[in-house]
Each structure stands twice: as C-alpha cells, then as structure tokens.
Amino acid sequence: MTFNAKRASGERCAEGLYDPANEKDSCGVGMVVRIDGSEDHSVVADGLQILINLEHRGAVAGDQSTGDGAGILVRIPDSFFKKALKNGAKLPVAGNYGIAMCFLPSDSGRMDECCRIIDKCVTDEGCEIIEWRDVPVQPKGLGEFAESTRPVVRQLVIGRKKVSAEQFEIKLYCMRRSAEKAVSSLIGDYSQFYICSMSSRTIVYKGLFTGAQLKNFYPDLADKSFASPYSIVHQRYSTNTMPTWALAHPFRFLAHNGEINTLRGNINRMKAREALLASPLFGEDIKKIQPVVVESGSDSAILDNVLELLVLSGRSLPHAMMMMVPEAWGTKYHMSEDRRAFYEYHSSIMEPWDGPAAVAFTDDRYVGAQLDRNGLRPARYVITRDGRIILGSESGVLDIAPDNVQRRGRLQPGRMLLVDMIEKRIVPDNEMKSRIARQKPYRHWVQDNRIELRGFLTPADIPVEDAEALLLKQIVFGYTEDELRMVLAPMAENGQEAVGSMGDDTPLAVLSNRPKSFFVYFKQLFAQVTNPPIDPLREELVMTLMTYMGREQNLLAETPEHCRRLKLHHPILTPDDLVRLRTSKIEEVAIKDIDILFPVGGDGAALEKALESVFREAEEHIAKGATFLVLTDRRMNSQYVPIPVLLALSGLNHHLIRK
C-alpha cells in the first residue's frame, strides 16, 4: 500500500518529520465564537469539525472504537427546540425556560425513578415541567465499551413560572444538586445517572465518543436550526480517571486541557469553608447545593463545580477565573499595584487551583480561554475578518482562507482571551483585569488589614538550646550522623539541597525491619503526566511560598476583613518568630498550645486515645477564640514521648474539616 493510499484509508503514516508514534499529546480543546453574538449553525458545525481535526489528541480503548469522551457546549438553540418539541409552539421566550440534558439508567424502572425525582425537585422550586423529550441518537459505530455503558439520553424542558428571571438560573442549580443528592442515596446501580447541564442559557451534548462520533450520535447537532453564537468542544485523553459518559468534557461552564495538581488540598479547603457559605442570592437555598464539590468527578469536573458556585453567587466569570487560576503576580513580575493587590487579596480568600491548565469557558455572556501562569499547555487562536475567533490546542484546527485572517496568536501564560457578547467585542486582557482589579479598593484593603511578622516586636532574649538537650531530641526524632553531615550541613552552608549521583537504594519503609521515621512512610504526590519540577527559588517569577494563616471569612462575600490574616512569606517559623507571635497583642493572633504526647510503651489504643484528646482540646480552644493552634512536642520527658507530628497534624486537620 502506498502512503497516499494509506492516507486515503484514514491510516496515519510517517512522512517527513511526522511520525504517528510521537502522538502522545493529551486532550484537545477548542472554541469558535462569533464576536457580534449572532447565532449561526456554522459555529456548531465548525466546533464539530475542530473535534474531528483534534481526534488524535484523544485516547481510544482496546476495542479501537470507544473514545475517552468528547462533547460540545453551546447556547440553547431556541429555534431548534421550538421546532423539535411537541409543545414547542407553547415554549416561553428564550431565557424563560431551561433544559436539563440528562443521562439516565438504561433499566426502565430506575430511569422512571430518576425522572420522578427530577420532576419533584423542579416543582419543589416553584417551576413547571413543560415536556420530557427523548433525544434522538444513532448508536451505530460506537465502541463495545461505550455501547455497553450507554445511558438513555433525555431532555427535560422547565418553565420558570413565577420564579424571577434573576433567580431562575440559581433555582436550576439547586434543582440539579437536589436531584443528584437524592439519586445518590438510592439503593441499586444508578451509576449511569448524570445531568450534563440544567440551565436556561447553555446546553451540553457529550458522551463516551471519539471526536468524529459525537456528530453522528446526536442528529440534533446536524439540524440547520441548531444555532449558537459560540461552541466549546473537547476531546479527552484520560490520565487520572477511568473514562465514562459523565466525565467527558465540556462541563457546565468549562472544558479543560491539563490537570489540577493541587486537587486534594483544594477539595479539603472547599469542604472546610462550606459552613461559612452565605449569599443573599441563595438565601436558605445555599444548603441545597452543599456539598459544592462532587468528589466522584474528575479534577476538571471539580474545578467546574467551584467555578459554577462563584459565578452564580454574583462574581463575573473573568473575576472567578482570575481567583481560581491566577496569573503570576510576584514582586518581580511587572504589573500595576492595583492588579497585584487584587491577587494578594484573593489569595487570602482562596488558594490557586494549580495546573498545568488551558481552560475554555463561558457563562453565555462571556466566552473565553486562559492559560495557567506556567503556560505548559498549548492554545493557538485566529481572529478572522468576518468576526470570528477560532481557538484550539494546536494551529490549523480549521481551514481559514488566508485573506480572511486578521490576526493569529497564542495564549500567553496567565493571559485571558475574552469575548463580551453584550458589548460585541474582544476585551483586551489588560483592560479586563484592570477593570476587575479596581471594582473594589483591594489595594487599600490589603495595605490596611494584612498582619505581617515584621510588624511584631522582636523579643529581647531567645533562650539558647542546651547542647545536651538538643542531642537527646535528635536521638528521639531519629536523626542520624549521615543526615546531619550529608543532608543538613550542605543546606546550612550553601543554601542548597544535597545532591547525590548514586541513586537511592533504600528499601521501602513498610518492608524494612528497622525502625523508621513516620515521615519515611509517605511520598510526595506528583503529577501523573509531563510537568517539569518547579521550586520557589529557580521559579520565583511564577511561584511563591507566601501564604495566609488565620480565620477565613465567607467565600461568597468580599470585605476588608477577608484579608485580616497573618501573612507569611514562607511556611517556616523560627523560634524567634514563635516568640513574637506569642507576645502579640493583636486580637486576630490568639495562640494556644496543644501537647502531642502519649505514654512511653503505649500501644495503638493509647496512641488513638491521645489523638482524640488532641482533637477535643483543639475544639475547646477554637470555641474560646483561638485563631492559631501550635502542636508541640517540646515537653516530652521520660514518661511521655511525641506523637509523630505528621500524624497529629493531618489527623487534626481532617477532624476539623469534618467538624
């Protein structure tokens, strides 16, 4: 077979510098936007073509036909549904009805149960059920695994009835979360149940497809009246979850190429701050959407969960993206003081959701894309003379006539490409961020409220550690001569980690017969794909160890008190620093010590009892106004030995999250 014959048959072949063996890129994301906001079926068709052209960026199962997932996010095509629905002629004007795109169990009994639950959630929120629609599908050509797990696809059309237009989208959000929680409590296999979208603005068509299968599976997408001013598409290459129908992108607000490396910490901190969530837009309904994060989702789905909360609680979409995926804003980075203060203020409210990440997103007013501050994922775009923006994970995702190209470019690290469809224009990154950074006096709030160590009085005398006592502590904590001489000494002398060239042949701690430090049993959780290592010294332009400590405020509000917290430039507190904090007269710095000790010779039960005592003592101190807890093992003696601090700290952290 000649090369041309192979290419005609669809087989990828080596030619010139191209070798199909090198196609290891992960995920393809793309979007098409009409800048004037006009609805056009060609926008949908172009989005589907981008998926086909990015098909090599997705994975295929062993059956050679099941993809890792593909989908498209568009505005609800009003003209199409007026034609496709039985009650289409009675459909309210666009925006006054919502559509739930549902995956339902293939078992008819379980499907009916899910539909009853959704119906009840709709009527409980004061809205009306207009019509259930069976979505036409063409399963021919699906892979064996995709077909065996294929759900029933139905759409529910919901009228807002007496619900105000301003509250309708929030009510739809509450309906969806209430239905999801109710179904999750049922006994039986309801794993096929998933609500892709429930909105009065947008709708998601997706599934366990390759890029080319999406268009064929949903005939709706080929209808000429299925029109939208934008389409966001995604072809998935799963790196950290098994592919399922539900985990295909796009989600309700975004499609994401990359991974969230800080995910476990992000989830735990979101869970911990849920008790403080309050918003006048939600009122008592805030409890219906909790927990905000659905932990069974992928990292991208969880990112979408939190973005959805921030946007529906009143922040603009670009504001929420700046919070969650901030650009580099360190002191050596060139930017305005207002913008730097914006990022510092919000770093006291929410930790970054660190990538690598290339994210395309929309809330039906704004459509945009952004890279994380490291810029480790590609995103190329073209602005055409006929008023479109085409963005993709690589160049050439659509054929554009050269005389129609106004400008080509690529997303820069931390930069945002944004279209405002109300103003009908591309909003420059600097203009948009400057406007958001000045919408409230963040710079004054930060300057007037942050608490810094350098503002504390330096103690007159710090007791010196007795040499004999120091040696005893080194023995208790398992320090060896090798560690002191080969690891700690180079760090103290040169400010660098010790470097060796012989590798590490130390047996796993769990398999060793020798006593080991508790820390040795744990390893850092690294990213699962191609991210280079970074550290705060060599990468200080885009990375910082700065952190805020102290009581957090309501995530959904913004006040000067939100940044009334202790700012640390790095997480290491010296003995001098601790003395300065203990002698502070500042109300927000109230420190209480907790001994983390248990009896010498104690068994597991004694250790567990000691940990429970630590947890109880922590709760008591917090109830009495403590803002900082110091876990200390300094008072160890011949009767009491330290609980491993990693165990005590992580145990207390999770206990407080649960509380």
Side-chain angles (χ1 to χ4, degrees), residues 105 113-114 117-118 178-188 190 193:
E113 180 65 21
C114 291
I117 287 173
I118 296 172
S178 297
E180 289 170 345
K181 290 190 287 185
V183 171
S184 69
S185 66
L186 297 175
I187 298 174
Y190 288 85
F193 173 80

Side-chain angles (χ1 to χ4, degrees), residues 537-549:
L537 297 177
R538 284 174 288 220
E539 304 287 344
E540 65 178 329
L541 192 65
V542 295
M543 183 180 179
T544 178
L545 293 179
M546 188 209 78
T547 187
Y548 277 92
M549 295 178 63

Side-chain angles (χ1 to χ4, degrees), residues 100-105 110-125 132 156 158 170-186 190 192-198 252 285 287-291 294:
M101 180 74 168
C102 304
F103 290 161
L104 300 168
R110 290 177 181 149
M111 179 185 71
D112 291 343
E113 180 65 21
C114 291
C115 291
R116 280 194 293 272
I117 287 173
I118 296 172
D119 288 348
K120 183 177 185 305
C121 292
V122 170
T123 54
D124 285 351
E125 295 296 340
W132 274 101
L156 173 61
I158 303 163
I170 290 174
K171 289 293 184 183
L172 290 167
Y173 179 27
C174 294
M175 290 174 209
R176 194 193 84 235
R177 288 299 293 128
S178 297
E180 289 170 345
K181 290 190 287 185
V183 171
S184 69
S185 66
L186 297 175
Y190 288 85
Q192 289 177 297
F193 173 80
Y194 179 76
I195 301 177
C196 304
S197 58
M198 186 183 275
R252 291 132 196 153
D285 284 349
K287 295 182 176 62
K288 296 177 182 177
I289 65 170
Q290 295 176 353
V294 181

Side-chain angles (χ1 to χ4, degrees), residues 92 96 122-123 125-131 156-162 168 175:
N96 289 330
V122 170
T123 54
E125 295 296 340
C127 295
E128 65 176 334
I129 297 161
I130 294 178
E131 182 178 326
L156 173 61
V157 185
I158 303 163
R160 71 176 176 90
K161 208 172 180 181
K162 296 181 180 179
F168 190 34
M175 290 174 209

Side-chain angles (χ1 to χ4, degrees), residues 188 216 305 369 381 439:
N216 297 330
N305 291 158
Y381 64 86
Q439 66 188 6

Side-chain angles (χ1 to χ4, degrees), residues 193-244:
F193 173 80
Y194 179 76
I195 301 177
C196 304
S197 58
M198 186 183 275
S199 172
S200 62
R201 304 166 182 167
T202 60
I203 190 167
V204 174
Y205 281 70
K206 69 178 186 178
L208 204 53
F209 312 126
T210 62
Q213 290 171 343
L214 175 66
K215 177 181 178 180
N216 297 330
F217 185 81
Y218 291 116
D220 286 2
L221 300 175
D223 193 293
K224 297 296 183 184
S225 63
F226 198 98
S228 172
Y230 57 83
S231 61
I232 293 176
V233 297
H234 189 278
Q235 169 72 41
R236 188 164 184 255
Y237 186 109
S238 175
T239 57
N240 50 18
T241 53
M242 284 292 290
T244 67

